Amino acid sequence: SYALKHFELNMAHYGNHGFSHFKKQVTQYLRGIANAAEYRKKLLTSQTQDEMKTLLEHILKETENNETETVPPLVQPLHH
C-alpha cells in the first residue's frame, strides 16, 4: 500500500524522526473510510514504529475486505 511504503520511506530518510513525521501525514490516508476516527486515534497514539506498521497493515486488510469500498483508501496515492 502507499501508506506503508510512505511510512517505510519516512523511516529510511528521517531515521527515528520519520515516525513522528509520518504521524503528521498518516491521516491523509484515512479520508473516506469507515471508522476513520477510530483508526486515526489509534495511529496517532501509537508509541512505536512496529505498532504503527501493524496498525497500518490491519487497517489495509480491513478496508480491502470491506466490499462497500470500491478502492481502499490506503492504497490510493496522496495527491497534493
Side-chain angles (χ1 to χ4, degrees):
S1 87
Y2 286 104
L4 283 171
K5 184 66 174 174
H6 187 185
F7 176 69
E8 291 168 356
L9 289 171
N10 264 293
M11 297 310 301
H13 183 75
Y14 296 107
N16 290 335
H17 296 292
F19 178 65
S20 59
H21 184 72
F22 184 72
K23 277 187 171 183
K24 297 174 188 176
Q25 303 164 339
V26 71
T27 59
Q28 299 296 317
Y29 291 103
L30 301 175
R31 290 184 181 175
I33 66 169
N35 303 316
E38 176 186 342
Y39 294 144
R40 183 172 26 261
K41 181 179 179 182
K42 288 179 179 180
L43 288 166
L44 294 178
T45 58
S46 61
Q47 298 295 310
T48 67
Q49 297 168 25
D50 288 338
E51 183 181 1
M52 172 74 75
K53 186 174 180 180
T54 299
L55 285 167
L56 287 170
E57 289 168 345
H58 174 76
I59 294 166
L60 177 62
K61 188 175 183 179
E62 281 194 4
T63 58
E64 284 178 339
N65 291 332
N66 185 348
E67 293 180 14
T68 61
E69 300 281 344
T70 54
V71 178
L74 289 178
V75 296
Q76 294 178 356
L78 179 62
H79 299 286
H80 292 293

Coordinates of all heavy atoms in Angstrom, one line a residue:
S1 N 0.8 -1.2 0.0 CA 0.0 0.0 0.0 C 0.9 1.2 0.0 O 2.0 1.2 0.4 CB -0.9 0.0 1.2 OG -0.3 0.6 2.3
Y2 N 0.3 2.3 -0.5 CA 1.0 3.6 -0.5 C 1.4 4.1 0.9 O 2.4 4.6 1.2 CB 0.3 4.7 -1.2 CG 0.3 4.5 -2.7 CD1 -0.8 4.0 -3.4 CD2 1.4 4.8 -3.4 CE1 -0.8 3.8 -4.8 CE2 1.5 4.6 -4.8 CZ 0.3 4.1 -5.5 OH 0.4 4.0 -6.8
A3 N 0.4 3.9 1.9 CA 0.7 4.3 3.2 C 1.9 3.6 3.9 O 2.7 4.2 4.5 CB -0.6 4.1 4.1
L4 N 1.9 2.3 3.7 CA 3.0 1.5 4.2 C 4.4 1.9 3.5 O 5.4 2.0 4.2 CB 2.8 0.0 4.1 CG 1.8 -0.6 5.1 CD1 1.5 -2.0 4.7 CD2 2.4 -0.6 6.5
K5 N 4.3 2.1 2.2 CA 5.5 2.5 1.5 C 6.0 3.9 2.0 O 7.2 4.1 2.2 CB 5.3 2.5 0.0 CG 6.5 2.8 -0.8 CD 7.5 1.7 -0.7 CE 8.7 2.0 -1.6 NZ 9.8 1.0 -1.4
H6 N 5.0 4.8 2.1 CA 5.3 6.1 2.6 C 6.0 6.1 4.0 O 6.9 6.8 4.3 CB 4.0 6.9 2.6 CG 4.2 8.4 2.9 ND1 3.1 9.2 3.1 CD2 5.3 9.2 3.1 CE1 3.5 10.4 3.4 NE2 4.8 10.4 3.4
F7 N 5.4 5.2 4.9 CA 5.9 5.1 6.2 C 7.4 4.6 6.2 O 8.3 5.1 6.8 CB 5.1 4.1 7.0 CG 5.6 3.7 8.4 CD1 5.6 4.7 9.4 CD2 6.0 2.5 8.7 CE1 6.1 4.4 10.6 CE2 6.5 2.2 9.9 CZ 6.5 3.1 10.9
E8 N 7.6 3.5 5.4 CA 9.0 3.0 5.3 C 10.0 4.0 4.7 O 11.1 4.1 5.1 CB 8.9 1.7 4.4 CG 8.2 0.6 5.1 CD 7.9 -0.6 4.2 OE1 8.1 -0.5 3.0 OE2 7.3 -1.6 4.7
L9 N 9.5 4.7 3.7 CA 10.4 5.8 3.1 C 10.7 6.9 4.2 O 11.9 7.3 4.2 CB 9.8 6.4 1.9 CG 9.7 5.5 0.7 CD1 8.9 6.1 -0.4 CD2 11.1 5.2 0.2
N10 N 9.7 7.2 5.0 CA 10.0 8.2 6.0 C 11.0 7.7 7.0 O 11.9 8.4 7.4 CB 8.7 8.5 6.8 CG 8.0 9.8 6.3 OD1 8.5 10.9 6.4 ND2 6.9 9.6 5.7
M11 N 10.9 6.4 7.4 CA 11.8 5.8 8.4 C 13.2 5.8 7.8 O 14.2 6.1 8.4 CB 11.4 4.5 8.8 CG 10.0 4.5 9.5 SD 9.9 5.6 10.9 CE 11.2 5.1 11.9
A12 N 13.3 5.4 6.5 CA 14.6 5.3 5.8 C 15.3 6.7 5.7 O 16.5 6.8 5.9 CB 14.5 4.6 4.5
H13 N 14.5 7.7 5.4 CA 15.0 9.0 5.1 C 15.3 9.8 6.4 O 16.4 10.4 6.5 CB 14.1 9.8 4.2 CG 14.6 11.2 3.8 ND1 15.5 11.3 2.9 CD2 14.2 12.4 4.3 CE1 15.8 12.6 2.8 NE2 15.0 13.3 3.6
Y14 N 14.4 9.8 7.3 CA 14.5 10.6 8.5 C 15.0 9.8 9.8 O 15.2 10.4 10.8 CB 13.1 11.2 8.9 CG 12.6 12.2 7.9 CD1 11.6 11.8 7.0 CD2 13.2 13.4 7.7 CE1 11.1 12.7 6.1 CE2 12.7 14.3 6.8 CZ 11.7 14.0 6.0 OH 11.2 14.8 5.0
G15 N 15.2 8.5 9.7 CA 15.6 7.7 10.8 C 14.5 7.7 11.9 O 13.3 7.7 11.5
N16 N 14.8 7.8 13.1 CA 13.8 7.8 14.2 C 12.8 8.9 14.1 O 11.7 8.8 14.6 CB 14.5 7.8 15.6 CG 15.2 6.5 15.8 OD1 14.8 5.4 15.3 ND2 16.2 6.5 16.7
H17 N 13.2 10.0 13.5 CA 12.3 11.2 13.4 C 11.2 10.9 12.4 O 10.2 11.6 12.3 CB 13.1 12.4 13.0 CG 14.0 12.9 14.1 ND1 13.6 13.4 15.3 CD2 15.4 12.9 14.1 CE1 14.7 13.7 16.0 NE2 15.8 13.4 15.3
G18 N 11.5 9.9 11.5 CA 10.5 9.6 10.5 C 9.1 9.1 11.1 O 8.1 9.3 10.5
F19 N 9.2 8.5 12.3 CA 8.0 8.1 12.9 C 7.1 9.2 13.3 O 5.9 9.3 12.9 CB 8.4 7.3 14.2 CG 7.2 6.8 15.0 CD1 6.3 5.8 14.5 CD2 7.0 7.2 16.3 CE1 5.3 5.4 15.3 CE2 6.0 6.8 17.1 CZ 5.1 5.8 16.5
S20 N 7.6 10.2 14.0 CA 6.8 11.4 14.3 C 6.4 12.2 13.1 O 5.3 12.8 13.0 CB 7.5 12.3 15.4 OG 8.7 12.7 14.9
H21 N 7.3 12.3 12.1 CA 7.0 13.0 10.9 C 5.8 12.3 10.2 O 4.9 13.0 9.7 CB 8.2 13.0 10.0 CG 8.1 13.8 8.8 ND1 8.0 15.2 8.8 CD2 8.0 13.4 7.5 CE1 7.9 15.6 7.5 NE2 7.9 14.6 6.7
F22 N 5.8 11.0 10.1 CA 4.7 10.3 9.4 C 3.4 10.5 10.1 O 2.3 10.5 9.5 CB 5.1 8.8 9.3 CG 4.1 8.1 8.4 CD1 4.0 8.2 7.1 CD2 3.2 7.2 9.1 CE1 3.0 7.6 6.3 CE2 2.2 6.5 8.3 CZ 2.2 6.7 7.0
K23 N 3.4 10.6 11.5 CA 2.2 10.7 12.2 C 1.4 12.0 11.7 O 0.2 12.0 11.7 CB 2.4 10.9 13.7 CG 2.6 9.6 14.4 CD 2.7 9.8 15.9 CE 2.6 8.5 16.7 NZ 2.6 8.8 18.1
K24 N 2.2 13.0 11.3 CA 1.6 14.2 10.8 C 0.9 14.1 9.5 O 0.0 14.8 9.1 CB 2.6 15.3 10.7 CG 3.2 15.7 12.0 CD 4.3 16.7 11.9 CE 5.1 16.9 13.2 NZ 6.2 17.8 13.0
Q25 N 1.3 13.0 8.7 CA 0.8 12.8 7.4 C -0.2 11.7 7.2 O -0.9 11.6 6.3 CB 2.0 12.5 6.5 CG 3.0 13.7 6.5 CD 4.4 13.2 5.9 OE1 4.7 12.1 5.8 NE2 5.2 14.2 5.5
V26 N -0.2 10.7 8.2 CA -0.9 9.5 8.0 C -2.4 9.7 7.9 O -3.1 8.9 7.2 CB -0.6 8.5 9.2 CG1 -1.2 9.0 10.5 CG2 -1.1 7.1 8.8
T27 N -3.0 10.7 8.5 CA -4.4 10.9 8.4 C -4.9 11.2 7.0 O -6.1 10.9 6.7 CB -4.8 12.1 9.3 OG1 -4.2 13.3 8.9 CG2 -4.5 11.8 10.8
Q28 N -4.0 11.6 6.1 CA -4.4 11.8 4.7 C -4.9 10.5 4.1 O -5.7 10.5 3.2 CB -3.3 12.4 3.9 CG -2.8 13.7 4.4 CD -3.9 14.8 4.2 OE1 -4.6 14.8 3.2 NE2 -4.0 15.6 5.3
Y29 N -4.4 9.4 4.6 CA -4.7 8.1 4.0 C -6.0 7.5 4.6 O -6.5 6.5 4.1 CB -3.6 7.1 4.3 CG -2.3 7.4 3.5 CD1 -1.3 8.0 4.1 CD2 -2.3 7.1 2.1 CE1 -0.1 8.2 3.4 CE2 -1.1 7.4 1.4 CZ 0.0 7.9 2.1 OH 1.1 8.2 1.3
L30 N -6.6 8.2 5.5 CA -7.8 7.7 6.2 C -9.1 8.3 5.6 O -10.2 7.9 6.0 CB -7.8 7.9 7.7 CG -6.6 7.2 8.4 CD1 -6.5 7.6 9.8 CD2 -6.6 5.7 8.2
R31 N -9.0 9.3 4.8 CA -10.1 10.0 4.3 C -11.1 9.1 3.6 O -10.7 8.3 2.7 CB -9.7 11.1 3.3 CG -9.0 12.2 4.1 CD -8.7 13.4 3.1 NE -8.1 14.4 3.9 CZ -7.6 15.5 3.3 NH1 -7.7 15.7 2.0 NH2 -7.0 16.4 4.0
G32 N -12.4 9.2 3.9 CA -13.4 8.4 3.2 C -13.5 7.0 3.6 O -14.3 6.3 2.9
I33 N -12.9 6.5 4.6 CA -13.1 5.1 5.0 C -13.9 5.0 6.3 O -13.9 5.9 7.1 CB -11.8 4.3 5.2 CG1 -11.0 4.9 6.4 CG2 -10.9 4.4 3.9 CD1 -9.8 4.0 6.7
A34 N -14.6 3.9 6.4 CA -15.4 3.7 7.6 C -14.5 3.6 8.8 O -13.4 3.1 8.7 CB -16.2 2.4 7.5
N35 N -14.9 4.0 9.9 CA -14.2 4.0 11.2 C -12.9 4.8 11.1 O -11.9 4.6 11.9 CB -13.8 2.6 11.6 CG -15.0 1.7 11.7 OD1 -16.0 2.1 12.3 ND2 -15.0 0.5 11.2
A36 N -12.8 5.9 10.3 CA -11.6 6.7 10.2 C -11.2 7.3 11.5 O -10.1 7.4 11.8 CB -11.8 7.7 9.1
A37 N -12.2 7.8 12.3 CA -11.9 8.5 13.5 C -11.2 7.5 14.5 O -10.2 7.8 15.2 CB -13.1 9.0 14.2
E38 N -11.7 6.3 14.6 CA -11.1 5.2 15.4 C -9.7 4.9 15.0 O -8.8 4.8 15.8 CB -12.0 4.0 15.4 CG -11.4 2.8 16.2 CD -12.2 1.5 16.0 OE1 -13.4 1.6 15.5 OE2 -11.7 0.5 16.3
Y39 N -9.5 4.7 13.7 CA -8.2 4.4 13.1 C -7.2 5.6 13.4 O -6.1 5.4 13.8 CB -8.2 4.1 11.6 CG -9.0 2.9 11.3 CD1 -9.8 2.9 10.1 CD2 -8.9 1.7 12.0 CE1 -10.4 1.7 9.7 CE2 -9.6 0.6 11.7 CZ -10.4 0.6 10.5 OH -11.0 -0.5 10.1
R40 N -7.7 6.8 13.2 CA -6.9 8.0 13.4 C -6.4 8.0 14.8 O -5.2 8.3 15.1 CB -7.6 9.2 13.0 CG -6.9 10.5 13.1 CD -7.6 11.7 12.5 NE -9.1 11.7 12.6 CZ -9.9 11.4 11.5 NH1 -9.3 11.1 10.4 NH2 -11.2 11.4 11.7
K41 N -7.3 7.8 15.8 CA -6.9 7.8 17.2 C -5.8 6.8 17.5 O -4.8 7.1 18.1 CB -8.1 7.6 18.1 CG -7.8 7.7 19.5 CD -9.1 7.5 20.3 CE -8.7 7.5 21.8 NZ -9.9 7.3 22.7
K42 N -6.0 5.6 17.0 CA -5.1 4.5 17.2 C -3.7 4.8 16.6 O -2.7 4.6 17.2 CB -5.6 3.2 16.7 CG -6.7 2.6 17.5 CD -7.2 1.3 16.9 CE -8.3 0.8 17.8 NZ -8.8 -0.5 17.2
L43 N -3.7 5.3 15.4 CA -2.4 5.6 14.7 C -1.7 6.8 15.4 O -0.5 6.7 15.5 CB -2.7 5.9 13.2 CG -3.1 4.8 12.3 CD1 -3.6 5.2 11.0 CD2 -1.9 3.8 12.1
L44 N -2.4 7.8 15.7 CA -1.8 9.0 16.3 C -1.3 8.7 17.7 O -0.5 9.5 18.2 CB -2.7 10.2 16.2 CG -3.0 10.7 14.8 CD1 -4.0 11.8 14.8 CD2 -1.7 11.0 14.1
T45 N -1.9 7.7 18.4 CA -1.4 7.4 19.8 C -0.4 6.2 19.8 O 0.0 5.8 20.9 CB -2.6 7.2 20.7 OG1 -3.4 6.1 20.2 CG2 -3.5 8.4 20.9
S46 N -0.1 5.7 18.6 CA 0.9 4.6 18.6 C 2.2 5.1 19.1 O 2.6 6.2 19.0 CB 1.0 4.0 17.2 OG 1.5 5.0 16.3
Q47 N 2.9 4.2 19.8 CA 4.1 4.6 20.5 C 5.4 4.1 19.9 O 6.5 4.6 20.2 CB 4.1 4.0 22.0 CG 2.9 4.6 22.8 CD 3.0 6.1 23.0 OE1 4.1 6.6 23.4 NE2 2.0 6.8 22.7
T48 N 5.3 3.1 19.0 CA 6.5 2.6 18.4 C 6.3 2.4 16.9 O 5.1 2.4 16.4 CB 6.8 1.2 18.9 OG1 5.8 0.3 18.6 CG2 7.0 1.2 20.4
Q49 N 7.4 2.3 16.2 CA 7.3 2.1 14.7 C 6.6 0.8 14.4 O 5.8 0.7 13.5 CB 8.7 2.0 14.1 CG 9.5 3.3 14.3 CD 10.9 3.2 14.0 OE1 11.4 2.3 13.3 NE2 11.8 4.1 14.6
D50 N 6.9 -0.3 15.2 CA 6.3 -1.6 15.0 C 4.8 -1.5 15.2 O 4.0 -2.1 14.4 CB 6.9 -2.6 15.9 CG 8.3 -3.0 15.5 OD1 8.6 -2.8 14.3 OD2 9.0 -3.5 16.3
E51 N 4.3 -0.8 16.2 CA 2.9 -0.6 16.4 C 2.2 0.1 15.3 O 1.2 -0.3 14.8 CB 2.7 0.2 17.7 CG 1.2 0.3 18.1 CD 1.0 1.1 19.4 OE1 2.0 1.6 20.0 OE2 -0.1 1.2 19.8
M52 N 2.9 1.2 14.8 CA 2.3 1.9 13.6 C 2.2 1.0 12.4 O 1.2 1.0 11.7 CB 3.2 3.1 13.3 CG 2.9 3.9 12.0 SD 1.4 4.9 12.1 CE 2.0 6.3 13.1
K53 N 3.2 0.3 12.1 CA 3.2 -0.6 10.9 C 2.1 -1.7 11.1 O 1.4 -1.9 10.1 CB 4.6 -1.3 10.7 CG 4.7 -2.1 9.5 CD 6.1 -2.6 9.2 CE 6.1 -3.3 7.9 NZ 7.5 -3.9 7.7
T54 N 2.0 -2.3 12.3 CA 1.0 -3.3 12.5 C -0.4 -2.7 12.3 O -1.3 -3.3 11.7 CB 1.1 -3.9 13.9 OG1 2.4 -4.5 14.0 CG2 0.1 -4.9 14.2
L55 N -0.6 -1.5 12.8 CA -1.9 -0.8 12.7 C -2.2 -0.6 11.2 O -3.4 -0.8 10.7 CB -2.0 0.5 13.5 CG -2.1 0.3 15.0 CD1 -1.8 1.7 15.7 CD2 -3.5 -0.2 15.3
L56 N -1.3 -0.1 10.5 CA -1.5 0.2 9.0 C -1.8 -1.1 8.3 O -2.7 -1.1 7.4 CB -0.2 0.8 8.4 CG 0.1 2.3 8.8 CD1 1.5 2.7 8.3 CD2 -1.0 3.2 8.3
E57 N -1.1 -2.1 8.6 CA -1.4 -3.4 7.9 C -2.8 -3.9 8.3 O -3.5 -4.4 7.4 CB -0.4 -4.5 8.4 CG 1.0 -4.2 7.8 CD 2.1 -5.0 8.4 OE1 1.9 -5.6 9.5 OE2 3.2 -5.1 7.8
H58 N -3.2 -3.7 9.5 CA -4.6 -4.1 10.0 C -5.6 -3.3 9.3 O -6.6 -3.9 8.8 CB -4.7 -4.0 11.5 CG -6.0 -4.2 12.0 ND1 -6.6 -5.5 12.2 CD2 -7.0 -3.3 12.4 CE1 -7.8 -5.4 12.6 NE2 -8.1 -4.1 12.8
I59 N -5.4 -2.0 9.2 CA -6.4 -1.1 8.5 C -6.5 -1.5 7.0 O -7.6 -1.5 6.5 CB -6.0 0.4 8.7 CG1 -6.2 0.7 10.2 CG2 -6.9 1.3 7.9 CD1 -5.5 2.0 10.6
L60 N -5.4 -1.7 6.4 CA -5.4 -2.1 5.0 C -6.2 -3.4 4.8 O -7.0 -3.4 3.9 CB -3.9 -2.2 4.5 CG -3.8 -2.7 3.0 CD1 -4.4 -1.7 2.1 CD2 -2.3 -2.9 2.7
K61 N -5.9 -4.3 5.6 CA -6.6 -5.6 5.5 C -8.1 -5.4 5.7 O -8.9 -6.0 4.9 CB -6.1 -6.6 6.5 CG -6.6 -8.0 6.4 CD -5.9 -8.9 7.4 CE -6.3 -10.3 7.2 NZ -5.7 -11.2 8.1
E62 N -8.5 -4.6 6.7 CA -9.9 -4.4 6.9 C -10.6 -3.6 5.7 O -11.7 -3.9 5.3 CB -10.2 -3.6 8.2 CG -10.1 -4.5 9.4 CD -10.6 -3.8 10.7 OE1 -11.1 -2.7 10.6 OE2 -10.5 -4.4 11.7
T63 N -9.9 -2.6 5.2 CA -10.5 -1.9 4.1 C -10.6 -2.7 2.8 O -11.5 -2.5 2.0 CB -9.8 -0.5 3.8 OG1 -8.4 -0.8 3.6 CG2 -9.9 0.4 5.0
E64 N -9.6 -3.6 2.6 CA -9.6 -4.4 1.4 C -10.8 -5.5 1.5 O -11.3 -5.8 0.5 CB -8.3 -5.2 1.3 CG -7.2 -4.3 0.7 CD -5.9 -5.0 0.6 OE1 -5.7 -6.0 1.3 OE2 -5.0 -4.5 -0.1
N65 N -11.1 -5.9 2.7 CA -12.1 -6.9 2.9 C -13.5 -6.2 3.0 O -14.5 -7.0 2.9 CB -11.9 -7.7 4.2 CG -10.7 -8.6 4.1 OD1 -10.4 -9.0 3.0 ND2 -10.1 -8.8 5.2
N66 N -13.6 -4.9 3.0 CA -14.9 -4.3 3.1 C -15.4 -4.1 1.7 O -14.9 -3.3 0.9 CB -14.7 -2.9 3.8 CG -16.0 -2.2 3.9 OD1 -17.1 -2.6 3.4 ND2 -16.0 -1.1 4.7
E67 N -16.4 -4.9 1.3 CA -16.9 -4.9 0.0 C -17.7 -3.6 -0.4 O -17.9 -3.4 -1.6 CB -17.9 -6.1 -0.2 CG -17.1 -7.4 -0.2 CD -18.0 -8.6 -0.3 OE1 -19.2 -8.4 -0.8 OE2 -17.6 -9.7 0.0
T68 N -18.0 -2.7 0.5 CA -18.7 -1.5 0.2 C -17.7 -0.5 -0.3 O -18.1 0.5 -0.9 CB -19.4 -0.9 1.4 OG1 -18.5 -0.7 2.5 CG2 -20.5 -1.9 1.9
E69 N -16.4 -0.7 0.0 CA -15.4 0.3 -0.5 C -15.0 -0.2 -2.0 O -14.7 -1.3 -2.2 CB -14.2 0.2 0.3 CG -14.4 0.6 1.8 CD -14.5 2.1 2.0 OE1 -14.1 2.8 1.1 OE2 -15.0 2.5 3.0
T70 N -15.0 0.8 -2.9 CA -14.6 0.4 -4.2 C -13.1 0.4 -4.4 O -12.6 -0.5 -5.1 CB -15.3 1.4 -5.3 OG1 -14.9 2.7 -4.9 CG2 -16.8 1.2 -5.3
V71 N -12.4 1.3 -3.8 CA -11.0 1.4 -3.8 C -10.5 1.7 -2.4 O -10.8 2.7 -1.9 CB -10.4 2.4 -4.8 CG1 -8.9 2.5 -4.8 CG2 -11.0 2.2 -6.2
P72 N -9.8 0.8 -1.8 CA -9.3 1.0 -0.4 C -8.5 2.3 -0.4 O -7.5 2.4 -1.1 CB -8.5 -0.2 -0.1 CG -8.9 -1.3 -1.0 CD -9.4 -0.5 -2.3
P73 N -8.8 3.2 0.5 CA -8.1 4.5 0.6 C -6.6 4.3 0.9 O -5.8 5.1 0.5 CB -8.8 5.2 1.7 CG -10.1 4.7 1.8 CD -10.0 3.2 1.4
L74 N -6.2 3.3 1.6 CA -4.8 3.1 2.0 C -3.9 2.7 0.8 O -2.7 2.7 0.9 CB -4.6 2.1 3.1 CG -5.1 2.6 4.5 CD1 -4.9 1.5 5.5 CD2 -4.4 3.8 4.9
V75 N -4.6 2.4 -0.3 CA -3.7 2.1 -1.5 C -3.8 3.2 -2.5 O -3.3 3.1 -3.6 CB -4.1 0.7 -2.1 CG1 -3.8 -0.4 -1.1 CG2 -5.6 0.7 -2.6
Q76 N -4.5 4.3 -2.3 CA -4.6 5.4 -3.2 C -3.5 6.3 -3.0 O -3.1 6.5 -1.8 CB -5.9 6.2 -3.0 CG -7.2 5.4 -3.3 CD -8.4 6.2 -3.1 OE1 -8.3 7.3 -2.5 NE2 -9.6 5.6 -3.4
P77 N -2.9 6.9 -4.0 CA -1.8 7.8 -3.8 C -2.3 9.1 -3.2 O -3.5 9.5 -3.4 CB -1.3 8.1 -5.2 CG -2.4 7.7 -6.1 CD -3.2 6.6 -5.4
L78 N -1.5 9.8 -2.4 CA -1.8 11.0 -1.8 C -1.6 12.1 -2.9 O -0.5 12.2 -3.4 CB -0.9 11.3 -0.6 CG -1.1 12.6 0.1 CD1 -2.5 12.6 0.7 CD2 -0.1 12.7 1.3
H79 N -2.6 12.9 -3.1 CA -2.5 14.0 -4.1 C -2.3 15.3 -3.4 O -3.0 15.6 -2.5 CB -3.7 14.1 -5.0 CG -4.0 12.8 -5.7 ND1 -3.3 12.5 -6.8 CD2 -4.9 11.8 -5.5 CE1 -3.7 11.3 -7.3 NE2 -4.7 10.9 -6.5
H80 N -1.3 16.0 -3.8 CA -1.0 17.4 -3.2 C -1.5 18.4 -4.1 O -1.5 18.4 -5.3 CB 0.5 17.6 -3.0 CG 1.0 16.7 -1.9 ND1 0.7 16.8 -0.6 CD2 1.9 15.7 -2.0 CE1 1.4 15.9 0.1 NE2 2.1 15.2 -0.8

